[in-house]
Amino acid sequence: VLAFIFIQRFVDLMLRLSAQFHFVYLSPAELVTAYLKLSVVLGLVFASPVILWQVWAFVRPGLTAGEQRSARTALIAGFGFFLLGALFCYAVVLPMTLQFFYSFNASKAITASISFDSYMTFVLGMLVVFGAVFEMPVLSYLLGRLGFVRSEWLRKGRKYAILLIFIVAAIITPPDVVSQVMTAIPMLALYELSVFVCRQAEKR
């Protein structure tokens, strides 16, 4: 309910990414439905600290003291890294991607009238994907702490990881070298950070 009250501010932030598009809605209820869907997503984001706390309170009695410290660190860091990934996507990746999609139109007979619901679905999907990608160091730390992943494995697989990162960057960004490199560099840094935190977890 609180998110729905202030939903227009959030929508304005999202639409600011693509001032060149002309947005429409294709059915009488589409705009209201899209606003309600966005409000639910924002409500989950706002409530996530409480939700995570409840999950933690349920799991904590079954963990040892060391596992509690690791899980608590992972929860806090995971939330922060997710927000960092979403912010990077909003500030860097989405503007480049949307600009490429707009400039791809080579015919003056075609105008960019975009369904508001499909646009918001695309933007939210990108934000979630990058938020999840930025969870890589936290996941590596937690798996390393539990003994499921070894830093040696990550070091040996570095060349394959670099190739995979550039392939992913090429898929999710416009087909130009600058965009791909700007997206791949943070992902490479996250991989190296994952190796480091996994090694630290092994020492513990």
Side-chain angles (χ1 to χ4, degrees):
V1 172
L2 289 175
F4 187 78
I5 293 173
F6 299 100
I7 193 64
Q8 191 58 52
R9 297 184 181 181
F10 176 77
V11 170
D12 290 341
L13 286 175
M14 296 299 104
L15 296 183
R16 194 177 299 171
L17 293 169
S18 55
Q20 64 270 36
F21 288 122
H22 174 67
F23 293 100
V24 298
Y25 56 96
L26 306 178
S27 67
E30 180 179 324
L31 190 61
V32 176
T33 303
Y35 274 37
L36 288 173
K37 183 166 63 175
L38 290 173
S39 300
V40 171
V41 173
L42 285 178
L44 288 173
V45 172
F46 294 151
S48 57
V50 179
I51 296 172
L52 291 174
W53 174 259
Q54 292 297 321
V55 172
W56 168 245
F58 177 78
V59 173
R60 181 177 57 188
L63 302 177
T64 65
E67 290 171 342
Q68 287 185 23
R69 287 193 296 270
S70 299
R72 187 166 53 245
T73 302
L75 283 174
I76 297 173
F79 184 71
F81 272 93
F82 186 90
L83 292 180
L84 186 64
L87 181 61
F88 173 76
C89 180
Y90 177 84
V92 178
V93 179
L94 274 173
M96 293 188 303
T97 304
L98 293 172
Q99 180 59 39
F100 166 74
F101 287 151
Y102 179 77
S103 62
F104 187 78
N105 183 11
S107 173
K108 294 183 179 180
I110 303 174
T111 58
S113 296
I114 310 299
S115 166
F116 174 77
D117 184 57
S118 62
Y119 170 79
M120 294 306 302
T121 299
F122 172 78
V123 169
L124 288 177
M126 289 284 288
L127 293 175
V128 170
V129 166
F130 271 83
V133 167
F134 272 62
E135 297 282 356
M136 188 164 44
V138 179
L139 186 61
S140 298
Y141 173 81
L142 195 57
L143 293 178
R145 190 76 173 85
L146 297 175
F148 292 123
V149 173
R150 307 289 296 177
S151 60
E152 182 181 357
W153 302 345
L154 297 178
R155 287 196 299 270
K156 288 183 178 179
R158 181 180 281 114
K159 57 184 178 181
Y160 304 108
I162 292 174
L163 176 62
L164 180 62
I165 285 172
F166 273 95
I167 291 175
V168 171
I171 292 173
I172 63 179
T173 59
D176 65 87
V177 176
V178 176
S179 301
Q180 293 173 14
V181 171
M182 289 183 65
T183 304
I185 287 177
M187 297 173 70
L188 291 172
L190 287 170
Y191 187 83
E192 294 302 325
L193 181 59
S194 299
V195 176
F196 173 76
V197 298
C198 187
R199 185 166 60 247
Q200 298 303 311
E202 290 170 357
K203 291 180 181 179
R204 289 172 175 260

PDB file of all heavy atoms in Angstrom, residues 30-64:
ATOM      1  N   GLU A  30      -4.439  -2.255 -18.193  1.00  0.00           N
ATOM      2  CA  GLU A  30      -3.004  -2.556 -18.200  1.00  0.00           C
ATOM      3  C   GLU A  30      -2.210  -1.620 -17.301  1.00  0.00           C
ATOM      4  O   GLU A  30      -1.325  -2.067 -16.544  1.00  0.00           O
ATOM      5  CB  GLU A  30      -2.447  -2.467 -19.621  1.00  0.00           C
ATOM      6  CG  GLU A  30      -0.949  -2.760 -19.702  1.00  0.00           C
ATOM      7  CD  GLU A  30      -0.405  -2.689 -21.112  1.00  0.00           C
ATOM      8  OE1 GLU A  30      -1.136  -3.083 -22.045  1.00  0.00           O
ATOM      9  OE2 GLU A  30       0.737  -2.235 -21.277  1.00  0.00           O
ATOM     10  N   LEU A  31      -2.496  -0.347 -17.326  1.00  0.00           N
ATOM     11  CA  LEU A  31      -1.722   0.609 -16.541  1.00  0.00           C
ATOM     12  C   LEU A  31      -1.913   0.374 -15.047  1.00  0.00           C
ATOM     13  O   LEU A  31      -0.937   0.355 -14.285  1.00  0.00           O
ATOM     14  CB  LEU A  31      -2.129   2.037 -16.911  1.00  0.00           C
ATOM     15  CG  LEU A  31      -1.235   3.142 -16.349  1.00  0.00           C
ATOM     16  CD1 LEU A  31       0.190   3.003 -16.861  1.00  0.00           C
ATOM     17  CD2 LEU A  31      -1.792   4.519 -16.707  1.00  0.00           C
ATOM     18  N   VAL A  32      -3.164   0.181 -14.626  1.00  0.00           N
ATOM     19  CA  VAL A  32      -3.434  -0.084 -13.213  1.00  0.00           C
ATOM     20  C   VAL A  32      -2.779  -1.394 -12.782  1.00  0.00           C
ATOM     21  O   VAL A  32      -2.164  -1.482 -11.703  1.00  0.00           O
ATOM     22  CB  VAL A  32      -4.955  -0.131 -12.951  1.00  0.00           C
ATOM     23  CG1 VAL A  32      -5.231  -0.516 -11.498  1.00  0.00           C
ATOM     24  CG2 VAL A  32      -5.592   1.208 -13.272  1.00  0.00           C
ATOM     25  N   THR A  33      -2.881  -2.422 -13.627  1.00  0.00           N
ATOM     26  CA  THR A  33      -2.268  -3.714 -13.306  1.00  0.00           C
ATOM     27  C   THR A  33      -0.754  -3.591 -13.188  1.00  0.00           C
ATOM     28  O   THR A  33      -0.141  -4.164 -12.285  1.00  0.00           O
ATOM     29  CB  THR A  33      -2.618  -4.752 -14.387  1.00  0.00           C
ATOM     30  OG1 THR A  33      -4.041  -4.851 -14.506  1.00  0.00           O
ATOM     31  CG2 THR A  33      -2.043  -6.108 -14.048  1.00  0.00           C
ATOM     32  N   ALA A  34      -0.142  -2.833 -14.098  1.00  0.00           N
ATOM     33  CA  ALA A  34       1.308  -2.643 -14.052  1.00  0.00           C
ATOM     34  C   ALA A  34       1.717  -1.908 -12.781  1.00  0.00           C
ATOM     35  O   ALA A  34       2.711  -2.262 -12.140  1.00  0.00           O
ATOM     36  CB  ALA A  34       1.769  -1.870 -15.286  1.00  0.00           C
ATOM     37  N   TYR A  35       0.956  -0.888 -12.394  1.00  0.00           N
ATOM     38  CA  TYR A  35       1.249  -0.156 -11.166  1.00  0.00           C
ATOM     39  C   TYR A  35       1.123  -1.056  -9.941  1.00  0.00           C
ATOM     40  O   TYR A  35       1.949  -0.994  -9.019  1.00  0.00           O
ATOM     41  CB  TYR A  35       0.314   1.050 -11.032  1.00  0.00           C
ATOM     42  CG  TYR A  35       0.805   2.291 -11.746  1.00  0.00           C
ATOM     43  CD1 TYR A  35       1.459   2.192 -12.969  1.00  0.00           C
ATOM     44  CD2 TYR A  35       0.613   3.546 -11.206  1.00  0.00           C
ATOM     45  CE1 TYR A  35       1.902   3.320 -13.632  1.00  0.00           C
ATOM     46  CE2 TYR A  35       1.058   4.699 -11.862  1.00  0.00           C
ATOM     47  CZ  TYR A  35       1.703   4.567 -13.082  1.00  0.00           C
ATOM     48  OH  TYR A  35       2.153   5.692 -13.734  1.00  0.00           O
ATOM     49  N   LEU A  36       0.097  -1.902  -9.924  1.00  0.00           N
ATOM     50  CA  LEU A  36      -0.073  -2.826  -8.800  1.00  0.00           C
ATOM     51  C   LEU A  36       1.071  -3.832  -8.736  1.00  0.00           C
ATOM     52  O   LEU A  36       1.583  -4.142  -7.658  1.00  0.00           O
ATOM     53  CB  LEU A  36      -1.414  -3.556  -8.925  1.00  0.00           C
ATOM     54  CG  LEU A  36      -2.660  -2.720  -8.652  1.00  0.00           C
ATOM     55  CD1 LEU A  36      -3.923  -3.515  -8.981  1.00  0.00           C
ATOM     56  CD2 LEU A  36      -2.690  -2.260  -7.204  1.00  0.00           C
ATOM     57  N   LYS A  37       1.491  -4.325  -9.910  1.00  0.00           N
ATOM     58  CA  LYS A  37       2.598  -5.287  -9.947  1.00  0.00           C
ATOM     59  C   LYS A  37       3.894  -4.647  -9.447  1.00  0.00           C
ATOM     60  O   LYS A  37       4.637  -5.240  -8.666  1.00  0.00           O
ATOM     61  CB  LYS A  37       2.774  -5.813 -11.375  1.00  0.00           C
ATOM     62  CG  LYS A  37       3.857  -6.864 -11.513  1.00  0.00           C
ATOM     63  CD  LYS A  37       3.756  -7.576 -12.857  1.00  0.00           C
ATOM     64  CE  LYS A  37       3.986  -6.634 -14.015  1.00  0.00           C
ATOM     65  NZ  LYS A  37       3.995  -7.344 -15.312  1.00  0.00           N
ATOM     66  N   LEU A  38       4.152  -3.421  -9.884  1.00  0.00           N
ATOM     67  CA  LEU A  38       5.332  -2.701  -9.410  1.00  0.00           C
ATOM     68  C   LEU A  38       5.252  -2.450  -7.903  1.00  0.00           C
ATOM     69  O   LEU A  38       6.268  -2.547  -7.198  1.00  0.00           O
ATOM     70  CB  LEU A  38       5.457  -1.364 -10.146  1.00  0.00           C
ATOM     71  CG  LEU A  38       5.844  -1.425 -11.618  1.00  0.00           C
ATOM     72  CD1 LEU A  38       5.767  -0.035 -12.235  1.00  0.00           C
ATOM     73  CD2 LEU A  38       7.231  -1.995 -11.783  1.00  0.00           C
ATOM     74  N   SER A  39       4.062  -2.155  -7.409  1.00  0.00           N
ATOM     75  CA  SER A  39       3.901  -1.912  -5.976  1.00  0.00           C
ATOM     76  C   SER A  39       4.206  -3.161  -5.169  1.00  0.00           C
ATOM     77  O   SER A  39       4.819  -3.086  -4.099  1.00  0.00           O
ATOM     78  CB  SER A  39       2.473  -1.430  -5.685  1.00  0.00           C
ATOM     79  OG  SER A  39       2.187  -0.237  -6.363  1.00  0.00           O
ATOM     80  N   VAL A  40       3.792  -4.326  -5.672  1.00  0.00           N
ATOM     81  CA  VAL A  40       4.085  -5.583  -4.982  1.00  0.00           C
ATOM     82  C   VAL A  40       5.591  -5.836  -4.947  1.00  0.00           C
ATOM     83  O   VAL A  40       6.159  -6.211  -3.912  1.00  0.00           O
ATOM     84  CB  VAL A  40       3.358  -6.760  -5.675  1.00  0.00           C
ATOM     85  CG1 VAL A  40       3.837  -8.088  -5.111  1.00  0.00           C
ATOM     86  CG2 VAL A  40       1.858  -6.627  -5.490  1.00  0.00           C
ATOM     87  N   VAL A  41       6.264  -5.608  -6.084  1.00  0.00           N
ATOM     88  CA  VAL A  41       7.717  -5.802  -6.135  1.00  0.00           C
ATOM     89  C   VAL A  41       8.426  -4.858  -5.158  1.00  0.00           C
ATOM     90  O   VAL A  41       9.298  -5.273  -4.390  1.00  0.00           O
ATOM     91  CB  VAL A  41       8.238  -5.579  -7.571  1.00  0.00           C
ATOM     92  CG1 VAL A  41       9.768  -5.600  -7.594  1.00  0.00           C
ATOM     93  CG2 VAL A  41       7.695  -6.643  -8.503  1.00  0.00           C
ATOM     94  N   LEU A  42       8.054  -3.590  -5.177  1.00  0.00           N
ATOM     95  CA  LEU A  42       8.661  -2.628  -4.258  1.00  0.00           C
ATOM     96  C   LEU A  42       8.340  -2.964  -2.809  1.00  0.00           C
ATOM     97  O   LEU A  42       9.184  -2.809  -1.918  1.00  0.00           O
ATOM     98  CB  LEU A  42       8.170  -1.214  -4.575  1.00  0.00           C
ATOM     99  CG  LEU A  42       8.756  -0.556  -5.823  1.00  0.00           C
ATOM    100  CD1 LEU A  42       8.131   0.816  -6.031  1.00  0.00           C
ATOM    101  CD2 LEU A  42      10.261  -0.429  -5.709  1.00  0.00           C
ATOM    102  N   GLY A  43       7.123  -3.425  -2.559  1.00  0.00           N
ATOM    103  CA  GLY A  43       6.761  -3.832  -1.208  1.00  0.00           C
ATOM    104  C   GLY A  43       7.635  -4.971  -0.702  1.00  0.00           C
ATOM    105  O   GLY A  43       8.060  -4.977   0.454  1.00  0.00           O
ATOM    106  N   LEU A  44       7.932  -5.940  -1.586  1.00  0.00           N
ATOM    107  CA  LEU A  44       8.828  -7.039  -1.208  1.00  0.00           C
ATOM    108  C   LEU A  44      10.235  -6.528  -0.924  1.00  0.00           C
ATOM    109  O   LEU A  44      10.913  -6.998  -0.009  1.00  0.00           O
ATOM    110  CB  LEU A  44       8.855  -8.095  -2.315  1.00  0.00           C
ATOM    111  CG  LEU A  44       7.590  -8.944  -2.466  1.00  0.00           C
ATOM    112  CD1 LEU A  44       7.689  -9.819  -3.707  1.00  0.00           C
ATOM    113  CD2 LEU A  44       7.371  -9.797  -1.230  1.00  0.00           C
ATOM    114  N   VAL A  45      10.693  -5.558  -1.719  1.00  0.00           N
ATOM    115  CA  VAL A  45      12.021  -4.978  -1.496  1.00  0.00           C
ATOM    116  C   VAL A  45      12.071  -4.270  -0.147  1.00  0.00           C
ATOM    117  O   VAL A  45      12.999  -4.459   0.644  1.00  0.00           O
ATOM    118  CB  VAL A  45      12.393  -4.009  -2.626  1.00  0.00           C
ATOM    119  CG1 VAL A  45      13.675  -3.253  -2.297  1.00  0.00           C
ATOM    120  CG2 VAL A  45      12.550  -4.761  -3.940  1.00  0.00           C
ATOM    121  N   PHE A  46      11.053  -3.450   0.129  1.00  0.00           N
ATOM    122  CA  PHE A  46      11.020  -2.722   1.397  1.00  0.00           C
ATOM    123  C   PHE A  46      10.905  -3.672   2.588  1.00  0.00           C
ATOM    124  O   PHE A  46      11.451  -3.419   3.662  1.00  0.00           O
ATOM    125  CB  PHE A  46       9.841  -1.741   1.413  1.00  0.00           C
ATOM    126  CG  PHE A  46       9.964  -0.639   0.408  1.00  0.00           C
ATOM    127  CD1 PHE A  46       8.835  -0.048  -0.136  1.00  0.00           C
ATOM    128  CD2 PHE A  46      11.208  -0.198  -0.015  1.00  0.00           C
ATOM    129  CE1 PHE A  46       8.941   0.971  -1.069  1.00  0.00           C
ATOM    130  CE2 PHE A  46      11.336   0.812  -0.957  1.00  0.00           C
ATOM    131  CZ  PHE A  46      10.196   1.394  -1.481  1.00  0.00           C
ATOM    132  N   ALA A  47      10.160  -4.767   2.399  1.00  0.00           N
ATOM    133  CA  ALA A  47       9.947  -5.713   3.487  1.00  0.00           C
ATOM    134  C   ALA A  47      11.053  -6.750   3.615  1.00  0.00           C
ATOM    135  O   ALA A  47      11.059  -7.519   4.583  1.00  0.00           O
ATOM    136  CB  ALA A  47       8.605  -6.426   3.294  1.00  0.00           C
ATOM    137  N   SER A  48      11.976  -6.776   2.660  1.00  0.00           N
ATOM    138  CA  SER A  48      12.998  -7.831   2.646  1.00  0.00           C
ATOM    139  C   SER A  48      13.843  -7.892   3.917  1.00  0.00           C
ATOM    140  O   SER A  48      14.177  -9.000   4.366  1.00  0.00           O
ATOM    141  CB  SER A  48      13.903  -7.686   1.417  1.00  0.00           C
ATOM    142  OG  SER A  48      14.515  -6.420   1.378  1.00  0.00           O
ATOM    143  N   PRO A  49      14.214  -6.765   4.560  1.00  0.00           N
ATOM    144  CA  PRO A  49      14.947  -6.901   5.820  1.00  0.00           C
ATOM    145  C   PRO A  49      14.161  -7.663   6.890  1.00  0.00           C
ATOM    146  O   PRO A  49      14.725  -8.510   7.610  1.00  0.00           O
ATOM    147  CB  PRO A  49      15.202  -5.449   6.243  1.00  0.00           C
ATOM    148  CG  PRO A  49      15.176  -4.680   4.971  1.00  0.00           C
ATOM    149  CD  PRO A  49      14.145  -5.361   4.135  1.00  0.00           C
ATOM    150  N   VAL A  50      12.860  -7.408   6.976  1.00  0.00           N
ATOM    151  CA  VAL A  50      12.037  -8.118   7.954  1.00  0.00           C
ATOM    152  C   VAL A  50      11.884  -9.587   7.559  1.00  0.00           C
ATOM    153  O   VAL A  50      11.951 -10.487   8.410  1.00  0.00           O
ATOM    154  CB  VAL A  50      10.650  -7.447   8.064  1.00  0.00           C
ATOM    155  CG1 VAL A  50       9.764  -8.194   9.067  1.00  0.00           C
ATOM    156  CG2 VAL A  50      10.798  -5.994   8.483  1.00  0.00           C
ATOM    157  N   ILE A  51      11.684  -9.835   6.259  1.00  0.00           N
ATOM    158  CA  ILE A  51      11.556 -11.209   5.783  1.00  0.00           C
ATOM    159  C   ILE A  51      12.837 -11.996   6.066  1.00  0.00           C
ATOM    160  O   ILE A  51      12.806 -13.133   6.569  1.00  0.00           O
ATOM    161  CB  ILE A  51      11.224 -11.233   4.278  1.00  0.00           C
ATOM    162  CG1 ILE A  51       9.864 -10.588   4.025  1.00  0.00           C
ATOM    163  CG2 ILE A  51      11.228 -12.669   3.744  1.00  0.00           C
ATOM    164  CD1 ILE A  51       9.529 -10.387   2.565  1.00  0.00           C
ATOM    165  N   LEU A  52      13.984 -11.396   5.752  1.00  0.00           N
ATOM    166  CA  LEU A  52      15.265 -12.058   6.008  1.00  0.00           C
ATOM    167  C   LEU A  52      15.465 -12.295   7.499  1.00  0.00           C
ATOM    168  O   LEU A  52      16.009 -13.330   7.896  1.00  0.00           O
ATOM    169  CB  LEU A  52      16.409 -11.222   5.438  1.00  0.00           C
ATOM    170  CG  LEU A  52      16.500 -11.150   3.915  1.00  0.00           C
ATOM    171  CD1 LEU A  52      17.591 -10.180   3.497  1.00  0.00           C
ATOM    172  CD2 LEU A  52      16.771 -12.533   3.329  1.00  0.00           C
ATOM    173  N   TRP A  53      15.049 -11.346   8.314  1.00  0.00           N
ATOM    174  CA  TRP A  53      15.181 -11.520   9.762  1.00  0.00           C
ATOM    175  C   TRP A  53      14.325 -12.694  10.254  1.00  0.00           C
ATOM    176  O   TRP A  53      14.763 -13.474  11.105  1.00  0.00           O
ATOM    177  CB  TRP A  53      14.786 -10.241  10.491  1.00  0.00           C
ATOM    178  CG  TRP A  53      14.776 -10.405  11.985  1.00  0.00           C
ATOM    179  CD1 TRP A  53      13.708 -10.584  12.794  1.00  0.00           C
ATOM    180  CD2 TRP A  53      15.927 -10.446  12.828  1.00  0.00           C
ATOM    181  NE1 TRP A  53      14.107 -10.725  14.092  1.00  0.00           N
ATOM    182  CE2 TRP A  53      15.466 -10.649  14.151  1.00  0.00           C
ATOM    183  CE3 TRP A  53      17.297 -10.331  12.599  1.00  0.00           C
ATOM    184  CZ2 TRP A  53      16.329 -10.742  15.237  1.00  0.00           C
ATOM    185  CZ3 TRP A  53      18.163 -10.418  13.677  1.00  0.00           C
ATOM    186  CH2 TRP A  53      17.679 -10.622  14.964  1.00  0.00           C
ATOM    187  N   GLN A  54      13.126 -12.828   9.718  1.00  0.00           N
ATOM    188  CA  GLN A  54      12.264 -13.942  10.112  1.00  0.00           C
ATOM    189  C   GLN A  54      12.856 -15.285   9.665  1.00  0.00           C
ATOM    190  O   GLN A  54      12.805 -16.278  10.400  1.00  0.00           O
ATOM    191  CB  GLN A  54      10.866 -13.752   9.515  1.00  0.00           C
ATOM    192  CG  GLN A  54      10.097 -12.585  10.099  1.00  0.00           C
ATOM    193  CD  GLN A  54       9.811 -12.764  11.581  1.00  0.00           C
ATOM    194  OE1 GLN A  54       9.508 -13.861  12.038  1.00  0.00           O
ATOM    195  NE2 GLN A  54       9.926 -11.689  12.344  1.00  0.00           N
ATOM    196  N   VAL A  55      13.407 -15.318   8.452  1.00  0.00           N
ATOM    197  CA  VAL A  55      14.061 -16.543   7.971  1.00  0.00           C
ATOM    198  C   VAL A  55      15.248 -16.884   8.862  1.00  0.00           C
ATOM    199  O   VAL A  55      15.461 -18.046   9.251  1.00  0.00           O
ATOM    200  CB  VAL A  55      14.515 -16.372   6.509  1.00  0.00           C
ATOM    201  CG1 VAL A  55      15.369 -17.557   6.062  1.00  0.00           C
ATOM    202  CG2 VAL A  55      13.303 -16.217   5.597  1.00  0.00           C
ATOM    203  N   TRP A  56      16.027 -15.846   9.205  1.00  0.00           N
ATOM    204  CA  TRP A  56      17.183 -16.053  10.062  1.00  0.00           C
ATOM    205  C   TRP A  56      16.762 -16.556  11.441  1.00  0.00           C
ATOM    206  O   TRP A  56      17.382 -17.463  12.006  1.00  0.00           O
ATOM    207  CB  TRP A  56      17.956 -14.747  10.186  1.00  0.00           C
ATOM    208  CG  TRP A  56      19.006 -14.739  11.255  1.00  0.00           C
ATOM    209  CD1 TRP A  56      19.027 -13.980  12.380  1.00  0.00           C
ATOM    210  CD2 TRP A  56      20.192 -15.535  11.297  1.00  0.00           C
ATOM    211  NE1 TRP A  56      20.143 -14.250  13.128  1.00  0.00           N
ATOM    212  CE2 TRP A  56      20.875 -15.202  12.487  1.00  0.00           C
ATOM    213  CE3 TRP A  56      20.733 -16.493  10.450  1.00  0.00           C
ATOM    214  CZ2 TRP A  56      22.077 -15.805  12.839  1.00  0.00           C
ATOM    215  CZ3 TRP A  56      21.926 -17.088  10.806  1.00  0.00           C
ATOM    216  CH2 TRP A  56      22.587 -16.744  11.984  1.00  0.00           C
ATOM    217  N   ALA A  57      15.704 -15.994  11.999  1.00  0.00           N
ATOM    218  CA  ALA A  57      15.232 -16.422  13.316  1.00  0.00           C
ATOM    219  C   ALA A  57      14.773 -17.876  13.302  1.00  0.00           C
ATOM    220  O   ALA A  57      14.897 -18.595  14.303  1.00  0.00           O
ATOM    221  CB  ALA A  57      14.089 -15.512  13.779  1.00  0.00           C
ATOM    222  N   PHE A  58      14.258 -18.339  12.150  1.00  0.00           N
ATOM    223  CA  PHE A  58      13.824 -19.729  12.031  1.00  0.00           C
ATOM    224  C   PHE A  58      15.008 -20.688  11.907  1.00  0.00           C
ATOM    225  O   PHE A  58      15.015 -21.779  12.491  1.00  0.00           O
ATOM    226  CB  PHE A  58      12.897 -19.874  10.817  1.00  0.00           C
ATOM    227  CG  PHE A  58      12.447 -21.275  10.558  1.00  0.00           C
ATOM    228  CD1 PHE A  58      11.441 -21.850  11.325  1.00  0.00           C
ATOM    229  CD2 PHE A  58      13.024 -22.022   9.549  1.00  0.00           C
ATOM    230  CE1 PHE A  58      11.025 -23.146  11.093  1.00  0.00           C
ATOM    231  CE2 PHE A  58      12.618 -23.326   9.311  1.00  0.00           C
ATOM    232  CZ  PHE A  58      11.614 -23.891  10.090  1.00  0.00           C
ATOM    233  N   VAL A  59      16.026 -20.265  11.157  1.00  0.00           N
ATOM    234  CA  VAL A  59      17.161 -21.161  10.867  1.00  0.00           C
ATOM    235  C   VAL A  59      18.189 -21.167  12.002  1.00  0.00           C
ATOM    236  O   VAL A  59      18.819 -22.189  12.273  1.00  0.00           O
ATOM    237  CB  VAL A  59      17.831 -20.738   9.538  1.00  0.00           C
ATOM    238  CG1 VAL A  59      19.108 -21.533   9.288  1.00  0.00           C
ATOM    239  CG2 VAL A  59      16.860 -20.910   8.390  1.00  0.00           C
ATOM    240  N   ARG A  60      18.359 -20.043  12.682  1.00  0.00           N
ATOM    241  CA  ARG A  60      19.436 -19.853  13.648  1.00  0.00           C
ATOM    242  C   ARG A  60      19.535 -20.946  14.721  1.00  0.00           C
ATOM    243  O   ARG A  60      20.657 -21.404  15.011  1.00  0.00           O
ATOM    244  CB  ARG A  60      19.293 -18.492  14.314  1.00  0.00           C
ATOM    245  CG  ARG A  60      20.394 -18.171  15.325  1.00  0.00           C
ATOM    246  CD  ARG A  60      20.199 -16.780  15.884  1.00  0.00           C
ATOM    247  NE  ARG A  60      18.882 -16.650  16.482  1.00  0.00           N
ATOM    248  CZ  ARG A  60      18.383 -15.498  16.920  1.00  0.00           C
ATOM    249  NH1 ARG A  60      19.078 -14.384  16.776  1.00  0.00           N
ATOM    250  NH2 ARG A  60      17.181 -15.456  17.452  1.00  0.00           N
ATOM    251  N   PRO A  61      18.442 -21.420  15.319  1.00  0.00           N
ATOM    252  CA  PRO A  61      18.586 -22.428  16.387  1.00  0.00           C
ATOM    253  C   PRO A  61      19.248 -23.727  15.933  1.00  0.00           C
ATOM    254  O   PRO A  61      19.800 -24.455  16.766  1.00  0.00           O
ATOM    255  CB  PRO A  61      17.135 -22.675  16.831  1.00  0.00           C
ATOM    256  CG  PRO A  61      16.412 -21.427  16.458  1.00  0.00           C
ATOM    257  CD  PRO A  61      17.048 -20.974  15.189  1.00  0.00           C
ATOM    258  N   GLY A  62      19.210 -24.024  14.636  1.00  0.00           N
ATOM    259  CA  GLY A  62      19.797 -25.266  14.156  1.00  0.00           C
ATOM    260  C   GLY A  62      21.240 -25.145  13.709  1.00  0.00           C
ATOM    261  O   GLY A  62      21.814 -26.110  13.187  1.00  0.00           O
ATOM    262  N   LEU A  63      21.865 -23.970  13.908  1.00  0.00           N
ATOM    263  CA  LEU A  63      23.227 -23.739  13.439  1.00  0.00           C
ATOM    264  C   LEU A  63      24.197 -23.650  14.613  1.00  0.00           C
ATOM    265  O   LEU A  63      23.816 -23.238  15.715  1.00  0.00           O
ATOM    266  CB  LEU A  63      23.306 -22.445  12.621  1.00  0.00           C
ATOM    267  CG  LEU A  63      22.392 -22.350  11.393  1.00  0.00           C
ATOM    268  CD1 LEU A  63      22.544 -20.983  10.743  1.00  0.00           C
ATOM    269  CD2 LEU A  63      22.706 -23.452  10.397  1.00  0.00           C
ATOM    270  N   THR A  64      25.438 -24.019  14.333  1.00  0.00           N
ATOM    271  CA  THR A  64      26.484 -23.822  15.330  1.00  0.00           C
ATOM    272  C   THR A  64      26.854 -22.345  15.389  1.00  0.00           C
ATOM    273  O   THR A  64      26.423 -21.552  14.544  1.00  0.00           O
ATOM    274  CB  THR A  64      27.731 -24.649  14.980  1.00  0.00           C
ATOM    275  OG1 THR A  64      28.281 -24.149  13.739  1.00  0.00           O
ATOM    276  CG2 THR A  64      27.388 -26.127  14.817  1.00  0.00           C
TER     277      THR A  64
END
